[in-house]
Amino acid sequence: MEVEGNDMDRLTVRKKELQNTISELEAHLAELRERLFDIEQEQQHDAIDNLEEYLQSVDHKYDDMRCLWDAVLEEVQLFLQRSK
Amino acid sequence: MTSASSNTSEPVEISRAASWRNWIFVATLVYLLLVAVSLIGGGFKLSAGEQAKELFAFASNPVTGLIIGMVATALIQSSSTVTSIIVGLVAGGLPVGIAIPMVMGANIGTTITNTIVSLGHIKQGVEFRRAFAAATIHDFFNLLSVVVFLPLEVSFHLLEKMGNYLAGLMVGGDSMSVGGFNFLKQIVSPPVALFQQTVSGFAPGTLTGILMIIFGILLIFTSITFIGKLLKVLMVGKAKTVLHSAVGKGPISGIFSGALITVLVQSSSTTTSLIVPLAGTGIFSLRKVYPFTLGANIGTCITGLLAATAITGANTLFALEIALIHLLYNIVGVVFIYGIPFLRELPIIAAEKLAELATENKLYVVAYILLVFFVVPGVLISATNMLGL
């Protein structure tokens, strides 16, 4: 009976240790997530500060259509090569 | 906007003077927009007279009306222009019930602009996938909105009833009596009357009306284009402030920011196209830009409301009604579709899936554009005509 009692105590201690480790890891994970969130926000603020660059890219629709045309031609050529 | 002078206060004053000049241009262009809407309304009344309903009988099929709005907007690449024209036509006698699907179609047509912008990233693999998804999520949301609300509108006319009720609250009698808008009649009517008098000197009544409509459409297009260009420059600082304030906040903030920026730049195409390169960098995720896109849908309604203020006379109520219906449709669409988690996810899933396919094979892009803007509309029109709807 004494031996069984010792086993129970050992398991209880082990269980508590694991629970503590998990809590620490979860707290650490939450901290890392918060740091990641802060970095993402900083990146977003930086991108917004360069909004003029992105606004300029909005005005090149003809060039964008040309990009599509070139890409489609490439795909068609690839397709024809494969079917030969 | 800088001076060669060593005096540091001069560049600031030149910049202020240039800014004032630009604002005066904007005010002038807004005035021209109002004149143009009034021209269309007057021209349509003159040319169509009592036959306005019959003239647009072909568009009484709601799918046809939807496609007219969609194709017109896709070609002009400005939903503000098309909705302003629609407001003018309603003022001239186009039945509101026929105009509603056109307004819904304009929502879809405007999405082609940001899709085109995303094509600039087409050779950049992952960047293209992100940019294309950010562009097409707008398409899929608006398509879903039409699928949900057009049948409801055809069956129950809920939007028309709500718009009519709200317009009735705001308008008293034959002309705008809200907040002193009567002064607009004084400043908008003279150039319209002058144009009509000048043209009717050498053209019969119907032709005068047609020329008024054509000139009005050209003037709307020109004024909205230049308003957009000027406001892009003038409001970029404010737009940055709005965007900064939305970083790290939830979707409601995103929706408000998108709406506010669209009001500031007077163009939903600019707002939604702007987020394409931002999303392409990966700094803003698809779920982050999604509410921003929805806000643009709401913000663009301001132009139609502005156009409605130009209308005086018996059809003021109807012009305001269609402008309010445009706003209601977009607000209700956002609340309903974004508010229900299952519906909210559908545009995200569709946009991500299509972007994945398009990254592997660019022909999917062509197929998508042809399907959404040409094949499906054609099939729907034929099907509804065959069914006698």
Side-chain angles (χ1 to χ4, degrees):
Chain A
M1 286 291 279
E2 205 174 292
V3 173
E4 279 176 14
N6 284 341
D7 279 345
M8 288 288 288
D9 286 341
R10 204 175 64 244
L11 284 172
T12 305
V13 166
R14 183 77 187 123
K15 185 175 150 187
K16 270 207 176 111
E17 280 173 5
L18 281 172
Q19 281 171 342
N20 286 340
T21 306
I22 288 169
S23 297
E24 279 169 22
L25 285 171
E26 280 174 349
H28 188 53
L29 190 59
E31 195 192 313
L32 288 172
R33 284 209 171 102
E34 215 174 289
R35 265 194 247 162
L36 178 64
F37 185 65
D38 288 340
I39 290 171
E40 282 173 353
Q41 281 193 75
E42 203 180 316
Q43 275 187 321
Q44 287 168 7
H45 283 300
D46 286 342
I48 291 165
D49 284 333
N50 295 315
L51 201 67
E52 288 89 348
E53 282 173 34
Y54 298 109
L55 270 175
Q56 278 170 24
S57 72
V58 166
D59 289 327
H60 298 118
K61 293 196 262 299
Y62 177 68
D63 293 336
D64 298 335
M65 293 293 286
R66 280 287 304 270
C67 289
L68 173 65
W69 176 249
D70 293 339
V72 165
L73 274 181
E74 261 178 53
E75 293 283 353
V76 169
Q77 280 165 2
L78 267 169
F79 174 75
L80 292 172
Q81 276 170 11
R82 276 190 219 125
S83 38
K84 279 178 193 167
Chain B
M1 289 203 281
T2 55
S3 165
S5 165
S6 57
N7 186 343
T8 54
S9 68
E10 274 192 32
V12 173
E13 282 174 13
I14 289 169
S15 178
R16 269 202 216 115
S19 180
W20 270 110
R21 205 172 45 236
N22 283 337
W23 278 113
I24 291 168
F25 281 146
V26 169
T28 308
L29 288 165
V30 168
Y31 170 69
L32 289 175
L33 170 65
L34 300 180
V35 167
V37 172
S38 202
L39 268 171
I40 290 177
F44 193 57
K45 245 187 277 194
L46 202 58
S47 54
E50 297 300 316
Q51 280 88 42
K53 223 184 219 178
E54 285 76 21
L55 198 67
F56 273 88
F58 70 92
S60 58
N61 176 342
V63 175
T64 308
L66 180 80
I67 286 152
I68 289 171
M70 190 173 86
V71 173
T73 308
L75 289 173
I76 298 173
Q77 295 201 16
S78 169
S79 61
S80 301
T81 301
V82 172
T83 49
S84 299
I85 291 169
I86 291 170
V87 166
L89 290 174
V90 167
L94 174 69
V96 170
I98 290 181
I100 294 174
M102 292 182 186
V103 154
M104 291 181 175
N107 256 27
I108 300 174
T110 197
T111 61
I112 201 168
T113 308
N114 59 11
T115 305
I116 291 173
V117 169
S118 72
L119 302 178
H121 303 261
I122 204 163
K123 295 199 172 163
Q124 275 126 39
V126 164
E127 195 173 308
F128 171 64
R129 184 168 53 78
R130 290 190 289 242
F132 193 64
T136 53
I137 198 169
H138 192 201
D139 303 27
F140 287 118
F141 177 87
N142 286 334
L143 284 166
L144 180 60
S145 200
V146 163
V147 164
V148 170
F149 291 105
L150 183 59
L152 284 175
E153 183 59 22
V154 167
S155 307
F156 305 110
H157 307 287
L158 290 170
L159 288 170
E160 191 174 349
K161 286 173 185 163
M162 282 197 298
N164 186 269
Y165 173 71
L166 287 173
L169 287 178
M170 291 173 71
V171 176
D174 285 346
S175 55
M176 299 280 270
S177 61
V178 179
F181 281 143
N182 278 335
F183 80 92
L184 281 171
K185 180 182 177 175
Q186 313 300 326
I187 59 172
V188 168
S189 299
V192 175
L194 178 64
F195 185 93
Q196 190 177 336
Q197 271 169 20
T198 309
V199 174
S200 61
F202 57 84
T206 308
L207 184 57
T208 299
I210 292 170
L211 287 171
M212 284 171 75
I213 294 171
I214 293 171
F215 187 72
I217 290 172
L218 290 172
L219 192 55
I220 283 181
F221 178 69
T222 310
S223 55
I224 285 180
T225 302
F226 282 102
I227 286 172
K229 285 187 192 301
L230 282 168
L231 287 178
K232 243 196 292 194
V233 170
L234 289 167
M235 302 308 288
V236 65
K238 290 269 183 312
K240 281 186 188 181
T241 308
V242 172
L243 283 171
H244 278 304
S245 68
V247 168
K249 309 257 174 40
I252 309 282
S253 178
I255 291 170
F256 274 112
S257 302
L260 186 53
I261 290 177
T262 306
V263 168
L264 289 174
V265 300
Q266 286 287 299
S267 169
S268 60
S269 303
T270 300
T271 309
T272 56
S273 300
L274 182 62
I275 62 171
V276 165
L278 283 171
T281 60
I283 295 171
F284 291 87
S285 66
L286 185 62
R287 285 177 188 277
K288 272 264 177 252
V289 301
Y290 183 18
F292 192 75
T293 300
L294 305 187
N297 266 7
I298 295 172
T300 198
C301 299
I302 193 81
T303 315
L305 286 166
L306 182 65
T309 62
I311 307 303
T312 56
N315 286 338
T316 304
L317 182 79
F318 302 119
L320 185 58
E321 190 180 326
I322 191 65
L324 286 169
I325 287 168
H326 186 206
L327 179 65
L328 283 167
Y329 168 61
N330 281 300
I331 291 175
V332 170
V334 168
V335 166
F336 188 73
I337 294 174
Y338 197 80
I340 298 175
F342 165 70
L343 289 177
R344 182 196 311 154
E345 292 298 312
L346 292 179
I348 297 175
I349 294 166
E352 283 178 341
K353 188 65 197 167
L354 179 65
E356 208 179 294
L357 290 169
T359 308
E360 285 165 23
N361 190 332
K362 309 300 179 284
L363 292 175
Y364 279 104
V365 177
V366 178
Y368 164 73
I369 291 174
L370 286 175
L371 260 172
V372 169
F373 294 98
F374 298 99
V375 172
V376 169
V379 165
L380 282 174
I381 290 178
S382 308
T384 49
N385 283 337
M386 277 192 329
L387 292 168
L389 296 173

